[in-house]
Structure formats: C-alpha cells, structure tokens
Amino acid sequence: MISERTRLAVLEEEFLPVRAKILEIAASLDRIQRAEGEGSRDPNWLQIQSALETLLEDQAGRAERVQMLFSRPYNDQWRETHKHSTS
Amino acid sequence: MYYIDPHIHMVSRTTDDYETLAKMGCVVVSEPAFWAGYDRGSVDGFRDYFEQLTTFESRRAQSYGIRHYTWLCINAKEAENVSLSREVIAMIPEFLDRPGVLGIGEIGLNKNTKNEATVFLEHLDLAAKTDEQILIHTPHLEDKYQGTRMILDMLNDDRRIDPTRTLVDHVEEHTVRHVLDSGFWAGMTLYPVSKCTPARAADIVEMCGPERLLVNSAGDWGPSKPTAVPDFILEMRRRGHSESLIRRVVYENPLQFFQQSRGFDFEPPEASGATAATAI
Ligand SMILES: [Zn+2]
C-alpha cells in the first residue's frame, strides 16, 4: 500500500512545505513569548513543548503520538463515572 | 472520476455548491441530520427539518444530476435535552420509509456526557429494532479519543449491532485503527482546522489500506470545503497511486456501504451507460 516513491523523492517534495510549517511554528512561539504577562506554566504551552519534543523522536507514528498528547485520556470505567454524575 | 461524498451537510451549502460538486464528478451525496446552528425548541422543529432533508434537498441535488440521500436522528449537541431527544426518536419512524433515507445518523457523542450516552444508546436501540444502518459522529479535538472509545464500547456491548452496517466518522490517526479493528467502517473528514487534511487522509490510506475506509468533506457551518474529496483524489494522484485504489476509497467503498441500506436505489452511471450502449 505504501506508495512507490523513494524516501529521497518524498523528502524533496516535502522539504519546502515542512520548512514553511516549521517557520510558522517558530514565529508563533515568538509571538506568544513577545506578548506581556505570564504563560510559561500554562497547560497549553506545556503541551506544545511536549508535542515539539515528540517530533524529534526517531520512530514513525509521530502524528498518532501527537494526537494522543492533545487528547483526554480514556477511562474504561466511564460507565461507573457516569452513574455517579448528575447529567 | 465519479465520486461519492458520504457525509456532507448540504442544507448549509448554496445551490452553486451543488453545481461545483457535479462538475467535479460527484454523483451521490449523503447527508446526516445534524445541528441547525441553534438548538431546536420542539419535536416539530425536527419534523420540519426531516421534511426538508427528504424532499427539498433531494430535488435541489437532482437538478444537477446528483442523488441525495439522508440519515435521521437528533444530533449529540442537542441530545443533552433527553426528553426532547426521546420525542424525536419516537417520531423518526414516520420518515424511515421515505425515499432516500439510508438509516440513523449522525448519532454519537460531543462532550462525552452521560445524557449524550443515554440518547446514543436509545438511537442504537431504534436502529436495531428497525434494522437500519447507522452513521456515527465522533467528538472533536481533545474529546475525540475518549469519545470514540466510549462509542466503540457501547457498539460492541450490543450484540444486535452489525459492524459491517455501521460507519464511524471523523476518524484520525489515533482512532482509525480502533474503529477498523472492531470491524466497522471508518470515515475520514477532510476539514481545514480540526479533523483531517487531504494529505493526512492519504497517509492513513497508505498505512491502513483502503478496506472499509471512506473520505468526506462534512461541508457544514464551519470553515469547511465542499470540494475536499476532489482535493484528496488529487493528492493521491500526485503521489502516484493507482486510479483503482483511489476509486475504491472515493466511490466503491461508499457504494458498497450504502447498498446495504434498503433506501439506496442509486444506479451507477456506468451501469446505465452500459445498458444504453447495449440497447443501441
Ligand atoms: Zn456531520
């Protein structure tokens, strides 16, 4: 199912789009830091830091791991939790 | 290439969009019932909406040579109101034998609450009792993973539910395998901000294979693009994938899934073309 293209061919095609996306992220982080006030302990900021670290990991599956990082955990006892909640 | 958009909310789109879709090769749209942009106050609000979905919308599509099909339910957002939901669920059977109705949908979860789960289960019960196919919405962003797992728990708990007649929509990298591994159909929604992009959908096809995978545009009130399925076709072609693989995902898979609904009477253009050719 994987397409026939070689890694180098895909890399060449993805290079400029990836470069552009990284620059967008770099500029966004600068924009956040340039603004006045606190924020370095904010959970959203910390989540962004963890996501960036995930990108540097060597094995495939980064997109899935980043998704999980931005997800609420699944609690397989959710029915019990619902039983005790009012709505 | 002919294609089918299996999840698009045409009530929120203009007639010009129908024309554009037709020009791009869209031959069938399927429109699940959803949120109107505001919470409806009464069961009659839903009755009027189902009337619109089963009559006016199909006529609007037909004038561009597109077949319009629909799914009925009270969506997860409005399911927080359990008593209204029960009235709507009791009223749905009035419409199930209308032409163009494919089943119950898009039911599901939004914020994964107890009320949403209650109403979801009552919809499942209706679908099981009326032998209807089911189309399911999964939550967005941080709630998607938990909500998808809860939905799969509820589906797997009910022995009456046939996975091959159930489509779980809005899957992404972290939920697609859970859905496919349980035997359900999985839909990828191509949406600019939340959900999937054409490139990531193509990645998922490369990683999971085309079996029981569909792509759709959602085309709703948000900043969505009704022509997202053609964008996916282009991305797949750009990567050198075969026309047969692309056609399987954007045409044959939805066709195969819809053909299991008794309300699906679509005659593929090739078939009618072939008949005409033989006649000559
Ligand atoms: Zn939808």
Side-chain angles (χ1 to χ4, degrees), chain B residues 89-221:
Chain B
I89 290 171
M91 178 271 288
I92 288 172
E94 290 175 24
F95 288 85
L96 286 178
D97 291 326
R98 288 264 180 118
V101 175
L102 297 184
I104 304 298
E106 60 182 304
I107 57 172
L109 299 176
N110 180 47
K111 293 289 172 200
N112 306 332
T113 66
K114 181 180 180 173
N115 286 345
E116 290 168 14
T118 300
V119 171
F120 179 78
L121 289 170
E122 293 184 18
H123 275 114
L124 287 190
D125 186 58
L126 171 68
K129 284 179 176 151
T130 53
D131 196 31
E132 294 291 338
Q133 294 215 98
I134 302 169
L135 192 154
I136 296 172
H137 164 95
T138 53
H140 308 306
L141 303 171
E142 72 268 27
D143 294 313
K144 181 180 296 295
Y145 183 73
Q146 184 192 29
T148 304
R149 296 291 305 268
M150 287 170 60
I151 285 168
L152 292 176
D153 286 346
M154 290 186 272
L155 291 170
N156 289 326
D157 268 3
D158 190 335
R159 284 157 184 265
R160 300 171 301 168
I161 302 300
D162 179 356
T164 66
R165 298 187 72 226
T166 307
L167 166 60
V168 180
D169 240 314
H170 316 318
V171 301
E172 292 182 53
E173 290 88 348
H174 54 323
T175 56
V176 61
R177 284 195 182 86
H178 290 283
V179 172
L180 291 175
D181 290 350
S182 304
F184 299 98
W185 292 77
M188 298 181 282
T189 299
L190 311 176
Y191 209 81
V193 190
S194 57
K195 313 196 184 87
C196 214
T197 61
R200 283 169 47 217
D203 291 336
I204 291 174
V205 173
E206 289 173 355
M207 293 185 289
C208 297
E211 201 180 333
R212 283 179 283 115
L213 260 186
L214 312 177
V215 289
N216 65 69
S217 69
D220 56 24
W221 306 113

Side-chain angles (χ1 to χ4, degrees), chain B residues 17 26 78 185 195:
Chain B
D17 285 341
C26 181
E78 287 168 273
W185 292 77
K195 313 196 184 87

Side-chain angles (χ1 to χ4, degrees), chain B:
Chain B
M1 179 181 295
Y2 291 129
Y3 79 91
I4 293 173
D5 194 328
H7 186 145
I8 182 165
H9 297 291
M10 292 307 296
V11 297
S12 67
R13 315 302 314 190
T14 63
T15 300
D16 292 348
D17 285 341
Y18 273 116
E19 183 177 356
T20 306
L21 295 184
K23 285 175 177 167
M24 290 192 162
C26 181
V27 287
V28 172
V29 292
S30 120
E31 172 155 12
F34 83 141
W35 192 58
Y38 58 91
D39 291 351
R40 281 155 282 210
S42 71
V43 66
D44 279 331
F46 284 88
R47 193 177 269 115
D48 290 344
Y49 175 48
F50 296 165
E51 189 69 36
Q52 178 186 17
L53 285 175
T54 53
T55 58
F56 179 67
E57 241 3 272
S58 61
R59 279 204 300 276
R60 210 155 69 108
Q62 197 65 61
S63 58
Y64 292 96
I66 296 174
R67 287 301 308 271
H68 178 280
Y69 293 93
T70 193
W71 304 73
L72 307 175
C73 76
I74 173 166
N75 61 89
K77 246 188 175 127
E78 287 168 273
E80 215 33 72
N81 184 340
V82 176
S83 58
L84 175 60
S85 299
R86 287 187 171 138
E87 286 181 66
V88 174
I89 290 171
M91 178 271 288
I92 288 172
E94 290 175 24
F95 288 85
L96 286 178
D97 291 326
R98 288 264 180 118
V101 175
L102 297 184
I104 304 298
E106 60 182 304
I107 57 172
L109 299 176
N110 180 47
K111 293 289 172 200
N112 306 332
T113 66
K114 181 180 180 173
N115 286 345
E116 290 168 14
T118 300
V119 171
F120 179 78
L121 289 170
E122 293 184 18
H123 275 114
L124 287 190
D125 186 58
L126 171 68
K129 284 179 176 151
T130 53
D131 196 31
E132 294 291 338
Q133 294 215 98
I134 302 169
L135 192 154
I136 296 172
H137 164 95
T138 53
H140 308 306
L141 303 171
E142 72 268 27
D143 294 313
K144 181 180 296 295
Y145 183 73
Q146 184 192 29
T148 304
R149 296 291 305 268
M150 287 170 60
I151 285 168
L152 292 176
D153 286 346
M154 290 186 272
L155 291 170
N156 289 326
D157 268 3
D158 190 335
R159 284 157 184 265
R160 300 171 301 168
I161 302 300
D162 179 356
T164 66
R165 298 187 72 226
T166 307
L167 166 60
V168 180
D169 240 314
H170 316 318
V171 301
E172 292 182 53
E173 290 88 348
H174 54 323
T175 56
V176 61
R177 284 195 182 86
H178 290 283
V179 172
L180 291 175
D181 290 350
S182 304
F184 299 98
W185 292 77
M188 298 181 282
T189 299
L190 311 176
Y191 209 81
V193 190
S194 57
K195 313 196 184 87
C196 214
T197 61
R200 283 169 47 217
D203 291 336
I204 291 174
V205 173
E206 289 173 355
M207 293 185 289
C208 297
E211 201 180 333
R212 283 179 283 115
L213 260 186
L214 312 177
V215 289
N216 65 69
S217 69
D220 56 24
W221 306 113
S224 48
K225 200 174 166 196
T227 54
V229 178
D231 291 346
F232 167 82
I233 296 173
L234 185 62
E235 174 68 22
M236 291 289 282
R237 280 188 181 142
R238 227 175 44 77
R239 296 186 186 195
H241 286 300
S242 69
E243 292 295 295
S244 63
L245 171 64
I246 302 171
R247 189 183 145 89
R248 170 136 188 225
V249 178
V250 303
Y251 184 75
E252 286 160 9
N253 280 354
L255 197 62
Q256 193 189 338
F257 177 67
F258 292 160
Q259 276 168 342
Q260 304 176 129
S261 288
R262 61 179 174 277
F264 192 71
D265 56 355
F266 172 69
E267 208 183 305
E270 304 80 7
S272 42
T275 318
T278 330
I280 295 162

